Amino acid sequence: MDDPVDLTPLRAMIEQRDLDGYLIDADGSNSDQRYVSGFTAPDPYQTLVTQDGVHLLVSGLEFGRAQSDSAADSVSRLSAYDYHDRRAEHGRYEGMIRTLEAFLADHTVDTVAVPQEFPTGTADGLREQGVTVTAETEGVVQKIRATKTPWEVNQIRATQRANEAAMAAAETLIASADVEDGVLVHDGTPLTSERVTEEIEITLLRHGCGLDETIVACGVDAADPHNRGSGELAADECIVIDIFPQDKETGYAGDMTRTFARGDPGEEARRRYDVTKEAYEAGLEAVEAGVTGAAVHDTVCDVIEDAGYETLRSDPDTDTGFIHSTGHGVGLDVHEEPRVSPSGGELEPGHVVSIEPGIYDPAVGGVRIEDLIVVTEDGYENLTDYRVGLEPTAE
């Protein structure tokens, strides 16, 4: 990460609790680990934050790369603490615990806070070696991560550019397909959710991004916000496409949803689209520094309820209408702090959030529109540059 990570709130927590440090034991897929260490590896490694710096403990395999790539003040390899001798004498688990305890002792650490997801076995093992281990439940690192630096915003913006290319590829497939017996057909073969997903994934790979899964859901499938979709895509039905990739190098994510329909999905579906668009626009305009995520969510609910549709605010048991929150933070995780939801706290400059209202009903289908924005001092900047429209167009 080019901008230095400001761990002042984390160090303040350590000092307030009269602890010696903060310890993360995870591989690089853990976003807190990646953020604090500035490093990523496929196997678990340890990051220790003290008042005097950030210190890594890694395998010999990762030592050179950690020295050159990480943001740590010091990097130690396991062999510096006789890991192989300890493992031979005590076994793999006990040997690692004793090695980790020696690493902590080398940094004068007897008491540590750890994240909630810290491995229980490691915590218990350290306690048996006399180290005081306390779970930190406030999510301090997640709160630090919520406010993006300009460098981070640029990485998210770059991922969103890739996302837009993938959405354009998907939209072009849908717009250019023929219609035969109510089914979209591409090159003589029914156009399926799987085929559109493949095009999305190929496009993202060409832009240095990837994703574990995406949503291309048609008709009844689209009425379930998290249904990935499958099978043939139909004309005269709403097709929800939600793409949330991550850059393979930086790890930063993007997120965008559009809803398309080839042909006429019917008056009610078109009305739901218009209401969703109005709610989306109202949600965007409600965003500014100092406003709570809860207030933005309420603004979106007001529009949808005034149009005669249920929300979870008007009916917590409803399974149709607007049945999820308005948005969420996006960064190294696709879903992270802050929240644009009934419990969402104050939005601050540098918060990157999605705004994604939707209306769902199996009898009609689903509609969702989503942009990704960054909160600024005087409002927001939209990181998404992609048109909003129900009728797909081919580039």
Side-chain angles (χ1 to χ4, degrees):
M1 185 180 297
D2 286 8
D3 288 342
V5 171
D6 183 5
L7 297 178
T8 301
L10 179 59
R11 290 195 168 97
M13 181 275 292
I14 293 170
E15 182 177 10
Q16 182 182 18
R17 298 190 181 186
D18 196 26
L19 300 171
D20 299 324
Y22 183 84
L23 182 65
I24 303 174
D25 180 13
D27 64 36
S29 66
N30 179 288
S31 294
D32 284 359
Q33 174 72 294
R34 181 170 189 164
Y35 185 85
V36 174
S37 69
F39 183 63
T40 179
D43 296 321
Y45 58 99
Q46 291 72 39
T47 300
L48 173 66
V49 180
T50 63
Q51 297 299 348
D52 68 352
V54 175
H55 312 284
L56 299 192
L57 179 64
V58 301
S59 68
L61 180 66
E62 302 291 356
F63 180 69
R65 195 165 61 87
Q67 282 189 308
S68 62
D69 294 356
S70 79
D73 297 287
S74 73
V75 179
S76 300
R77 65 179 96 202
L78 292 171
S79 60
Y81 299 99
D82 300 322
Y83 168 65
H84 296 290
D85 291 341
R86 295 175 189 273
R87 177 175 174 175
E89 181 179 355
H90 301 286
R92 182 174 182 177
Y93 166 72
E94 184 71 20
M96 184 64 213
I97 293 297
R98 289 174 179 263
T99 301
L100 181 52
E101 188 276 330
F103 167 73
L104 295 176
D106 192 36
H107 290 282
T108 321
V109 171
D110 296 316
T111 59
V112 293
V114 298
Q116 291 184 54
E117 67 273 17
F118 192 85
T120 302
T122 305
D124 287 346
L126 287 175
R127 291 182 181 118
E128 290 176 2
Q129 295 300 314
V131 179
T132 300
V133 180
T134 304
E136 184 275 306
T137 59
E138 298 300 314
V140 175
V141 176
Q142 290 94 320
K143 290 178 181 177
I144 296 172
R145 285 172 44 208
T147 302
K148 273 62 180 180
T149 66
W151 181 86
E152 288 181 286
V153 172
N154 283 335
Q155 307 321 304
I156 296 168
R157 182 184 287 110
T159 305
Q160 197 72 336
R161 295 291 85 81
N163 202 354
E164 291 157 8
M167 185 67 75
E171 182 180 1
T172 296
L173 264 182
I174 293 169
S176 61
D178 298 320
V179 177
E180 298 179 7
D181 297 325
V183 174
L184 302 189
V185 176
H186 177 74
D187 289 343
T189 303
L191 184 62
T192 63
S193 170
E194 291 81 3
R195 174 66 183 88
V196 176
T197 296
E198 178 185 78
E199 193 70 20
I200 288 169
E201 292 180 347
I202 290 171
T203 304
L204 288 172
L205 285 172
R206 288 172 176 162
H207 286 77
C209 294
L211 76 175
D212 292 330
E213 52 191 11
T214 191
I215 294 173
V216 180
C218 180
V220 174
D221 286 350
D224 178 350
H226 281 170
N227 190 321
R228 293 338 190 205
S230 63
E232 297 175 351
L233 300 179
D236 305 325
E237 297 276 3
C238 288
I239 303 169
V240 173
I241 302 179
D242 188 349
I243 313 174
F244 32 99
Q246 288 185 288
D247 185 276
K248 287 182 171 292
E249 180 177 351
T250 69
Y252 283 89
D255 203 357
M256 175 172 55
T257 304
R258 291 295 184 265
T259 302
F260 302 114
R262 279 292 306 277
D264 183 6
E267 181 179 353
E268 178 58 26
R270 283 185 276 105
R271 180 174 187 270
R272 288 167 184 246
Y273 186 90
D274 291 342
V275 172
T276 299
K277 183 179 178 183
E278 181 184 352
Y280 143 88
E281 292 171 346
L284 289 175
E285 291 307 310
V287 172
E288 62 179 354
V291 169
T292 64
V296 176
H297 179 68
D298 281 339
T299 297
V300 168
C301 288
D302 286 343
V303 173
I304 293 173
E305 290 170 12
D306 288 348
Y309 300 105
E310 296 287 358
T311 72
L312 291 178
R313 185 182 70 173
S314 64
D315 180 3
D317 295 323
T318 187
D319 54 9
T320 62
F322 181 32
I323 53 177
H324 53 73
S325 296
T326 293
H328 53 85
V330 175
L332 288 173
D333 287 327
V334 177
H335 293 86
E336 61 180 44
E337 295 296 324
R339 306 293 170 175
V340 187
S341 69
S343 60
E346 188 173 301
L347 297 177
E348 302 174 6
H351 282 171
V352 174
V353 297
S354 66
I355 299 295
E356 50 178 306
I359 301 176
Y360 311 90
D361 187 336
V364 181
V367 173
R368 184 165 67 255
I369 302 170
E370 175 187 22
D371 279 359
L372 195 57
I373 65 172
V374 57
V375 181
T376 62
E377 292 285 354
D378 56 358
Y380 70 95
E381 176 192 351
N382 199 327
L383 302 178
T384 312
D385 183 15
Y386 201 92
R387 74 174 191 93
V388 176
L390 182 60
E391 181 67 27
T393 60
E395 288 192 340

